Amino acid sequence: MSGREHPDGYTSYDGIGYERLSLSAWRVMVRELIDYWELIRRLVIRNIAGQFRQSFLGYIWIMLPPIATTVVFSVLQKARVVNIEMPEGSMPYAIFALLGMTVWGYFTQLTMMATTSISNAGGLVSKIYFPREVLVLSAVGNAIVNFLIRLVVVVLTFLLLQYAPHWEIVYYVVLLIPFTLLGVGLGLLLAPINTMMNDVGRLMEFAFQFGMFLAPTVYPTPDIATANDTWQSLLFWAHQINPVSHYLYAAHELVQHGTLTFGPGLQAAVILSFLVFLVGWRFFHAIEPLLAERV
Amino acid sequence: MPPAIIVNDVSKKFARSLKRGMIYGLSDMARMALVPRRWQSEGAEARMRDAGNEMRETSCGMRDASSASTESESDSAVPGSLIANPGSRIPTPASRIADPESRISHPVTEAQLRPTEFWALRNVSFTLQPGESVGLLGANGAGKSTLFSVLSGIYAPTYGKVSYRGRLQALIALGAGFHPSLSGRENLYINAAILGLKEKEVSAIYENIVDFSGIGSFIDAPIKNYSSGMIVRLAFSIAVHLDPDILLIDEVLAVGDAAFQLKCAKYARELVNSGKTIVVVSHNMLIIQMMCRRSIWMDHGTILQDGDTHQVTRDYQQFMLMKSAEEKTKSIDSGVRFAAMILQVEWLDAEGRPCPKLTWGKPHQLAIEFEAHEAIEQARFWVEVSAVGKEGLVMGVSMYDDGHYLDIKPGRHRLLVHWDHLPLAQENLYQVCVGVRDWSGQIMLADSFASRLFEVNHHGPLCAGEPAGQTSRLLTPLVAAPYRWTANDGMQLHAFHKPST
């Protein structure tokens, strides 16, 4: 529970619980997470089951967006409307774009669903008490499930195009942990603010929509060594400062070469991810008591 | 036994304006997340100290003002309008401060509020013991639901502290978290999980929940096909089967059908008997009286009265009736002007003296004073007596039934209704309503007048020789009690046939 449970059996809530700001709050936070694991699981199942109960195509709707983007960009590429130069010996463009869209889409959905989770559950939040992290984490759970469903498309594409990725791709699971935590941390930071100003959610949606084109999703990062004008180097740096890019690079590299260069970019991205998560969780826990009256 | 709930000097503020609330919320969040606790509490305490001094002064002022107003009220109270002044029973703020149990450490003031903010709860304190069932009364916006939300941990109090022992279950929003597309069974599991139950525990009580709800085979149908009553029944069944030590019930019993309400009331009584604590919010005094021995009356975020349910509900109802009467008077002032106006209705004894308390079976008169603004022909009066908290009329006399009518000259008049044996039995609170219409009953000649509440003693035996303590208690008189009208000189009372009574 949010209140302190005292040894004498009392649970108490006091003025804007300052104990939430103390160091021992970490213990409470972990405790709550363990206690409410069951509820998170149930909510994830509920949302997935409820999502497509009245839909004919069901889970196809989850698979469609990355497929559509990939097909469109492949057609544009073939028709030479866009001229995306893939490096020598690179994977087929369709696979490159699909990988990029799947990973980017995962991050987008994860962050968006986490950000809007509290405001979407307003009725529940203002009426029943439970740790609000539960809502954010169950949204994350749904995003993970959607990601798994989309992975099926990726695997099918590999089979269809008879492209064999290096088996080392399974190591990507390890990288997915900080990657996911980055999205969760952002969600935990933004969800409370979004309860009051849903501009935040819209802003994020906008940022993700256009950010897609400023990240190595449907085209590879220009090579800084051969960059011949400022625009190309500008784009290069835009990719470099985006932590998501480094997770994308890693996915591409693992699929294509079966190796992982843990360079400074990726190191920074991983450290940043953990930091964002810890700060976000702490922030969320501290202001949790204010959420109910603001949704 | 240690208390089940301790509410210690709880205050809570909200903002009325959405935009400002947003800004306050953001700044509150930023302050909580960024400013270290040390600095926050220093500033806050200094502010509270200042505010505290201010409050003590204002509260003294308030005490003087309120005691003055109660005195003037009792002076102006018309003798013979029967009930003792209810204001005298309401503890003044000063007496609450003096109460050692509810020490006010963070007195709230308007000065502490930012623009558009208001206090939804102000220095609320009380303690509930295990096995106690308490009713929470108050007009809309008195702070009852806010108090429930604070108790169940949804809202953090601005100041003060609430503590409770054991599992607390709030029946505030039944069915919150139900997904319309999922079946009742699926929703049952999710809802129980939201309320803090493990899957195994739910499976163990699953059958009981479904049985209690009476939903039967509908349990596998999607929730959206349920009637609203079924949803509430399912949700209520889940909530009560969580074996709470403290149950907060917020006007939810009103939704189910009569059979289900009865089942709920019975269940609540069992809980109380087994040492659980129940707090009930309801506007239905019958439910409160049935379920609770103690009641707390809240108004504008403060506790006005805390005590025996019988006493509190009576004062509360008196207060609400007076308030509605005031509003009525206001609307008359601004609205339609009738041919006459009823000024006062009062009970007299046989000799015509104002009578503070009526006695069953004794001779009594009801005096209706009114002013005719013009000459009125063929006016017909009716008098209705109703008992507080009971449906329907207890007694009614009417010139439409007994065939009388009045021709009235302009001016002030006094119409009397005599009873040789007042047929109002049982000690109860009653109210008289008097109205007057034209011959056909279609045109109102004066706004109907509702008297203040009055009480009836039941001293005498119903039949000769029967001991007073053993008379059966009647609410509605079973015998026709003769009465007669008497008019003063300015009126002429006609009867076009002999009264049947």
Side-chain angles (χ1 to χ4, degrees), chain A residues 70-90:
Chain A
T70 306
V71 167
V72 166
F73 273 91
S74 298
V75 168
L76 291 180
Q77 169 84 333
K78 291 259 189 256
R80 308 227 171 119
V81 177
V82 292
N83 191 15
I84 295 164
E85 280 178 44
M86 297 300 289
E88 272 311 296
S90 172

Side-chain angles (χ1 to χ4, degrees), chain B residues 201-221:
Chain B
E201 298 172 291
V202 187
S203 301
I205 55 171
Y206 174 81
E207 290 300 324
N208 292 346
I209 294 177
V210 178
D211 280 352
F212 187 87
S213 69
I215 281 177
S217 58
F218 272 95
I219 194 72
D220 286 314

Side-chain angles (χ1 to χ4, degrees), chain B residues 330-350:
Chain B
K330 265 186 221 145
S331 68
I332 291 168
D333 288 346
S334 57
V336 198
R337 207 173 140 83
F338 291 106
M341 185 156 98
I342 301 174
L343 303 169
Q344 181 63 45
V345 173
E346 57 179 333
W347 283 101
L348 311 172
D349 63 11

Side-chain angles (χ1 to χ4, degrees), chain A residues 197-252:
Chain A
M197 306 194 299
N198 45 30
D199 310 52
V200 174
R202 293 181 196 282
L203 184 76
M204 292 304 284
E205 206 177 336
F206 184 80
F208 280 123
Q209 213 163 28
F210 289 92
M212 187 188 102
F213 295 106
L214 292 175
T217 47
V218 287
Y219 62 93
T221 304
D223 192 347
I224 188 74
T226 61
N228 42 21
D229 58 26
T230 27
W231 290 110
Q232 282 208 334
S233 45
L234 203 68
L235 196 59
F236 172 81
W237 287 112
H239 285 196
Q240 291 302 310
I241 57 161
N242 185 353
V244 183
S245 303
H246 298 285
Y247 291 105
L248 283 165
Y249 295 149
H252 289 144

